[in-house]
Amino acid sequence: MTTLLYAVMDLGTSVEGCTAPGGRPLRIVGDDGLGAVVSELDGHLHMDEPSLWAHEHAIEQLMDRGSLLPARFGTTAQDESEILQMLRDRRNELEAALERVRGAVEYAVHVDTGAEPVGASAAGGGTGVAYMRGLLAQRRHERELMERVESQLGDLARAVTVLSSTSLACLVPRERVSEFVARAETYALSISGPWPPYSFVTP
Amino acid sequence: MSEVLAPPPARNIALIDLLDRLLQGGIVIQGDITLTAADIDLVRLDLRLLLAAIDKAAGQ
Protein backbone atom coordinates (compact mmCIF):
# COMPACT_ATOMS: atom_id res chain seq x y z
CA MET A 1 0.00 0.00 0.00
CA THR A 2 1.36 3.39 -1.01
CA THR A 3 0.05 6.92 -0.76
CA LEU A 4 -0.82 8.70 -3.98
CA LEU A 5 -0.59 12.48 -4.12
CA TYR A 6 -3.23 14.41 -6.09
CA ALA A 7 -2.70 18.02 -5.22
CA VAL A 8 -1.42 20.58 -2.76
CA MET A 9 -4.11 22.94 -1.44
CA ASP A 10 -4.95 25.16 1.49
CA LEU A 11 -5.34 22.83 4.47
CA GLY A 12 -8.74 24.35 5.28
CA THR A 13 -10.25 23.15 1.98
CA SER A 14 -13.10 20.67 2.37
CA VAL A 15 -12.59 17.61 0.20
CA GLU A 16 -15.55 15.77 1.68
CA GLY A 17 -17.31 13.76 -1.01
CA CYS A 18 -14.34 13.89 -3.40
CA THR A 19 -13.21 10.45 -4.50
CA ALA A 20 -10.21 8.83 -6.12
CA PRO A 21 -10.67 6.61 -9.18
CA GLY A 22 -12.25 3.43 -7.87
CA GLY A 23 -14.23 5.24 -5.21
CA ARG A 24 -11.77 5.61 -2.36
CA PRO A 25 -12.27 8.89 -0.52
CA LEU A 26 -9.72 11.64 -1.00
CA ARG A 27 -8.44 13.19 2.20
CA ILE A 28 -6.38 16.23 3.00
CA VAL A 29 -3.40 16.08 5.35
CA GLY A 30 -0.89 18.68 6.41
CA ASP A 31 -0.15 21.27 9.02
CA ASP A 32 -0.03 25.01 9.50
CA GLY A 33 -2.29 25.91 6.61
CA LEU A 34 -0.67 23.87 3.85
CA GLY A 35 -2.32 20.62 2.84
CA ALA A 36 -1.83 17.67 0.50
CA VAL A 37 -4.73 15.72 -0.96
CA VAL A 38 -3.99 12.01 -1.02
CA SER A 39 -5.54 8.57 -1.25
CA GLU A 40 -4.24 5.11 -0.53
CA LEU A 41 -3.23 3.09 -3.56
CA ASP A 42 -3.45 -0.69 -3.83
CA GLY A 43 -0.98 -2.22 -6.23
CA HIS A 44 0.17 0.07 -8.98
CA LEU A 45 -1.13 2.71 -11.36
CA HIS A 46 -1.98 1.83 -14.91
CA MET A 47 -0.79 4.31 -17.49
CA ASP A 48 -3.59 3.81 -19.97
CA GLU A 49 -5.97 6.40 -21.29
CA PRO A 50 -8.93 5.67 -18.96
CA SER A 51 -6.65 5.78 -15.90
CA LEU A 52 -5.15 9.10 -16.94
CA TRP A 53 -8.58 10.64 -17.45
CA ALA A 54 -9.82 9.17 -14.16
CA HIS A 55 -6.90 10.78 -12.38
CA GLU A 56 -7.58 14.08 -14.12
CA HIS A 57 -11.24 13.97 -13.13
CA ALA A 58 -10.30 13.37 -9.50
CA ILE A 59 -8.19 16.53 -9.59
CA GLU A 60 -10.98 18.43 -11.36
CA GLN A 61 -13.32 17.68 -8.43
CA LEU A 62 -10.75 19.37 -6.22
CA MET A 63 -10.57 22.39 -8.55
CA ASP A 64 -14.19 23.10 -7.65
CA ARG A 65 -13.23 23.23 -3.97
CA GLY A 66 -10.35 25.66 -4.16
CA SER A 67 -7.05 26.68 -5.72
CA LEU A 68 -4.55 23.88 -6.07
CA LEU A 69 -1.19 22.70 -7.34
CA PRO A 70 -1.85 19.46 -9.22
CA ALA A 71 0.60 16.59 -8.78
CA ARG A 72 2.16 14.83 -11.72
CA PHE A 73 0.51 11.50 -12.51
CA GLY A 74 2.08 8.69 -10.53
CA THR A 75 3.49 10.79 -7.70
CA THR A 76 3.50 8.42 -4.76
CA ALA A 77 5.01 8.23 -1.32
CA GLN A 78 5.67 5.31 1.03
CA ASP A 79 3.15 6.66 3.49
CA GLU A 80 1.50 9.80 4.80
CA SER A 81 4.51 10.81 6.88
CA GLU A 82 6.61 11.12 3.73
CA ILE A 83 3.99 13.48 2.26
CA LEU A 84 3.99 15.57 5.44
CA GLN A 85 7.77 15.73 5.34
CA MET A 86 7.64 16.93 1.72
CA LEU A 87 5.21 19.69 2.73
CA ARG A 88 7.52 20.79 5.53
CA ASP A 89 10.67 20.67 3.41
CA ARG A 90 9.16 22.60 0.52
CA ARG A 91 6.72 24.85 2.35
CA ASN A 92 8.07 28.16 1.03
CA GLU A 93 8.23 26.95 -2.57
CA LEU A 94 4.76 25.36 -2.47
CA GLU A 95 3.09 28.31 -0.74
CA ALA A 96 4.57 30.71 -3.31
CA ALA A 97 3.47 28.48 -6.17
CA LEU A 98 -0.06 28.22 -4.75
CA GLU A 99 -0.29 32.01 -4.57
CA ARG A 100 0.80 32.33 -8.18
CA VAL A 101 -2.06 30.12 -9.42
CA ARG A 102 -4.71 31.23 -6.91
CA GLY A 103 -8.04 31.87 -8.61
CA ALA A 104 -6.74 30.91 -12.04
CA VAL A 105 -7.03 27.95 -14.42
CA GLU A 106 -4.88 26.72 -17.27
CA TYR A 107 -5.76 26.68 -20.97
CA ALA A 108 -3.83 24.91 -23.69
CA VAL A 109 -3.41 26.86 -26.93
CA HIS A 110 -2.36 25.16 -30.15
CA VAL A 111 -0.78 26.90 -33.08
CA ASP A 112 -1.32 25.40 -36.50
CA THR A 113 1.93 26.24 -38.27
CA GLY A 114 0.65 24.95 -41.58
CA ALA A 115 4.24 23.96 -42.34
CA GLU A 116 5.28 20.95 -44.38
CA PRO A 117 7.30 18.40 -42.42
CA VAL A 118 10.95 19.30 -42.90
CA GLY A 119 11.97 15.79 -43.89
CA ALA A 120 9.60 15.80 -46.85
CA SER A 121 10.94 19.02 -48.38
CA ALA A 122 14.55 17.98 -47.82
CA ALA A 123 14.07 14.61 -49.46
CA GLY A 124 14.09 16.18 -52.94
CA GLY A 125 17.25 18.28 -52.53
CA GLY A 126 18.93 15.66 -50.45
CA THR A 127 21.59 17.90 -48.93
CA GLY A 128 22.20 18.59 -45.29
CA VAL A 129 22.33 22.31 -45.99
CA ALA A 130 18.86 22.27 -47.58
CA TYR A 131 17.57 20.32 -44.61
CA MET A 132 19.02 22.77 -42.09
CA ARG A 133 17.66 25.76 -44.03
CA GLY A 134 14.22 24.16 -44.01
CA LEU A 135 14.47 23.49 -40.30
CA LEU A 136 15.52 27.06 -39.54
CA ALA A 137 12.69 28.48 -41.63
CA GLN A 138 10.20 26.27 -39.82
CA ARG A 139 11.51 27.25 -36.38
CA ARG A 140 11.35 30.94 -37.30
CA HIS A 141 7.80 30.50 -38.55
CA GLU A 142 6.75 28.75 -35.34
CA ARG A 143 8.37 31.41 -33.18
CA GLU A 144 6.58 34.18 -35.05
CA LEU A 145 3.26 32.41 -34.62
CA MET A 146 3.96 31.92 -30.93
CA GLU A 147 4.70 35.62 -30.51
CA ARG A 148 1.50 36.44 -32.32
CA VAL A 149 -0.53 34.21 -29.98
CA GLU A 150 1.10 35.82 -26.97
CA SER A 151 0.17 39.25 -28.30
CA GLN A 152 -3.40 38.12 -29.02
CA LEU A 153 -4.11 36.43 -25.67
CA GLY A 154 -1.30 37.48 -23.38
CA ASP A 155 -3.14 40.44 -21.82
CA LEU A 156 -5.88 38.08 -20.54
CA ALA A 157 -3.40 35.66 -18.99
CA ARG A 158 -1.53 35.99 -15.71
CA ALA A 159 1.28 33.92 -17.19
CA VAL A 160 2.12 32.19 -20.46
CA THR A 161 4.51 29.30 -20.90
CA VAL A 162 5.68 27.63 -24.10
CA LEU A 163 5.25 23.85 -24.03
CA SER A 164 6.45 22.99 -27.52
CA SER A 165 7.04 24.67 -30.87
CA THR A 166 3.29 24.51 -31.55
CA SER A 167 1.63 24.70 -28.15
CA LEU A 168 1.63 26.95 -25.15
CA ALA A 169 -0.21 27.17 -21.86
CA CYS A 170 -1.97 30.22 -20.45
CA LEU A 171 -2.78 30.75 -16.79
CA VAL A 172 -6.11 32.58 -16.87
CA PRO A 173 -7.84 34.19 -13.88
CA ARG A 174 -11.34 32.67 -13.58
CA GLU A 175 -13.03 36.03 -14.06
CA ARG A 176 -11.34 36.40 -17.45
CA VAL A 177 -12.07 32.91 -18.75
CA SER A 178 -15.11 33.79 -20.86
CA GLU A 179 -13.28 36.71 -22.46
CA PHE A 180 -10.25 34.49 -23.07
CA VAL A 181 -12.34 31.78 -24.75
CA ALA A 182 -14.17 34.35 -26.90
CA ARG A 183 -10.89 35.98 -27.92
CA ALA A 184 -9.37 32.61 -28.87
CA GLU A 185 -12.43 31.94 -31.00
CA THR A 186 -12.06 35.32 -32.70
CA TYR A 187 -8.54 34.43 -33.74
CA ALA A 188 -9.54 30.84 -34.65
CA LEU A 189 -7.07 29.41 -32.15
CA SER A 190 -7.51 25.83 -30.98
CA ILE A 191 -7.71 25.69 -27.20
CA SER A 192 -8.59 23.16 -24.49
CA GLY A 193 -9.40 23.64 -20.85
CA PRO A 194 -9.94 24.64 -18.17
CA TRP A 195 -7.17 22.45 -16.79
CA PRO A 196 -5.67 22.43 -13.32
CA PRO A 197 -2.51 24.59 -13.53
CA TYR A 198 -0.10 21.72 -14.29
CA SER A 199 2.22 23.91 -16.34
CA PHE A 200 2.52 26.63 -13.68
CA VAL A 201 3.62 24.79 -10.56
CA THR A 202 7.18 26.08 -10.82
CA PRO A 203 8.33 29.69 -11.41
CA MET B 1 -11.26 19.34 -19.14
CA SER B 2 -14.26 17.12 -19.58
CA GLU B 3 -14.48 16.36 -23.29
CA VAL B 4 -13.52 12.73 -22.75
CA LEU B 5 -15.83 11.53 -25.46
CA ALA B 6 -15.15 14.31 -27.93
CA PRO B 7 -14.78 12.97 -31.48
CA PRO B 8 -11.40 12.85 -33.20
CA PRO B 9 -9.40 14.92 -33.85
CA ALA B 10 -10.59 17.03 -30.91
CA ARG B 11 -10.29 13.95 -28.72
CA ASN B 12 -6.69 13.38 -29.81
CA ILE B 13 -5.78 16.99 -29.14
CA ALA B 14 -7.33 16.70 -25.70
CA LEU B 15 -5.41 13.50 -25.02
CA ILE B 16 -2.11 15.05 -26.04
CA ASP B 17 -2.89 18.02 -23.82
CA LEU B 18 -3.62 15.56 -21.02
CA LEU B 19 -0.31 13.74 -21.53
CA ASP B 20 1.59 17.03 -21.68
CA ARG B 21 0.13 17.92 -18.31
CA LEU B 22 -0.19 14.71 -16.29
CA LEU B 23 3.18 13.32 -17.36
CA GLN B 24 5.30 16.45 -17.73
CA GLY B 25 3.63 19.05 -15.54
CA GLY B 26 2.54 19.09 -11.93
CA ILE B 27 4.48 18.82 -8.73
CA VAL B 28 6.56 15.76 -7.99
CA ILE B 29 8.08 14.28 -4.89
CA GLN B 30 11.76 13.86 -5.56
CA GLY B 31 12.54 10.38 -6.77
CA ASP B 32 9.10 8.87 -6.62
CA ILE B 33 7.37 8.26 -9.91
CA THR B 34 5.62 4.93 -9.98
CA LEU B 35 4.24 3.87 -13.32
CA THR B 36 3.69 0.53 -14.92
CA ALA B 37 5.27 0.72 -18.34
CA ALA B 38 3.87 -2.69 -19.23
CA ASP B 39 0.40 -1.18 -19.38
CA ILE B 40 1.24 1.43 -21.97
CA ASP B 41 -1.16 1.44 -24.84
CA LEU B 42 -0.82 5.07 -25.79
CA VAL B 43 1.96 4.51 -28.29
CA ARG B 44 -0.38 4.74 -31.24
CA LEU B 45 -1.18 8.33 -30.28
CA ASP B 46 2.15 9.96 -29.70
CA LEU B 47 5.09 7.73 -29.06
CA ARG B 48 7.61 10.56 -29.08
CA LEU B 49 5.74 12.53 -26.46
CA LEU B 50 5.21 9.53 -24.24
CA LEU B 51 8.80 8.38 -24.46
CA ALA B 52 10.00 11.86 -23.63
CA ALA B 53 7.80 11.81 -20.54
CA ILE B 54 9.06 8.39 -19.48
CA ASP B 55 12.67 9.45 -19.98
CA LYS B 56 12.02 12.47 -17.82
CA ALA B 57 10.35 10.35 -15.12
CA ALA B 58 13.11 7.74 -15.19
CA GLY B 59 15.77 10.42 -14.85
CA GLN B 60 14.37 11.74 -11.58
Side-chain angles (χ1 to χ4, degrees):
Chain A
M1 187 88 88
T2 52
T3 302
L4 185 62
L5 177 67
Y6 287 84
V8 168
M9 304 183 81
D10 294 320
L11 185 58
T13 310
S14 167
V15 298
E16 204 181 330
C18 294
T19 54
R24 261 181 207 278
L26 292 175
R27 58 200 168 80
I28 188 162
V29 299
D31 49 33
D32 201 15
L34 191 63
V37 180
V38 299
S39 80
E40 303 313 315
L41 176 70
D42 292 316
H44 52 225
L45 281 175
H46 295 265
M47 194 163 61
D48 52 19
E49 192 181 341
S51 302
L52 288 163
W53 279 118
H55 188 85
E56 166 64 13
H57 291 147
I59 295 181
E60 286 181 8
Q61 296 170 61
L62 299 171
M63 268 174 95
D64 295 336
R65 304 298 180 93
S67 297
L68 58 78
L69 298 172
R72 187 171 302 178
F73 182 73
T75 299
T76 56
Q78 302 268 328
D79 52 31
E80 194 176 305
S81 68
E82 201 176 304
I83 298 275
L84 292 170
Q85 189 60 47
M86 187 270 297
L87 289 179
R88 281 193 287 272
D89 292 345
R90 293 167 60 184
R91 166 174 291 276
N92 290 346
E93 170 209 336
L94 294 171
E95 282 180 342
L98 193 53
E99 286 316 308
R100 279 195 301 275
V101 303
R102 194 172 292 286
V105 293
E106 178 175 328
Y107 274 82
V109 181
H110 293 271
V111 179
D112 180 6
T113 64
E116 290 280 310
V118 173
S121 58
T127 70
V129 174
Y131 180 88
M132 288 310 292
R133 282 201 180 121
L135 198 62
L136 278 172
Q138 185 178 320
R139 288 285 171 275
R140 198 176 306 124
H141 182 53
E142 287 168 354
R143 197 165 53 240
E144 283 164 9
L145 283 169
M146 205 56 90
E147 281 165 8
R148 199 178 75 206
V149 171
E150 287 192 40
S151 72
Q152 287 167 341
L153 296 173
D155 63 310
L156 297 176
R158 187 183 295 170
V160 180
T161 188
V162 174
L163 297 183
S164 75
S165 59
T166 56
S167 73
L168 43 73
C170 294
L171 184 67
V172 185
R174 283 183 183 275
E175 67 272 16
R176 289 184 176 172
V177 160
S178 55
E179 198 181 343
F180 181 88
V181 172
R183 181 89 66 85
E185 203 167 309
T186 304
Y187 289 115
L189 293 168
S190 162
I191 63 169
S192 76
W195 296 92
Y198 289 101
S199 307
F200 297 95
V201 298
T202 51
Chain B
M1 257 307 297
S2 304
E3 295 99 90
V4 186
L5 299 175
R11 182 173 167 278
N12 273 0
I13 289 174
L15 181 57
I16 286 169
D17 287 343
L18 181 76
L19 292 170
D20 269 346
R21 284 164 179 75
L22 260 68
L23 303 181
Q24 309 225 52
I27 52 172
V28 293
I29 300 175
Q30 213 66 34
D32 280 309
I33 300 285
T34 308
L35 295 172
T36 53
D39 292 315
I40 293 171
D41 68 1
L42 295 161
V43 283
R44 66 200 151 83
L45 292 156
D46 195 334
L47 183 63
R48 183 185 50 77
L49 182 72
L50 189 61
L51 291 179
I54 291 169
D55 281 347
K56 200 168 174 181
Q60 284 181 356

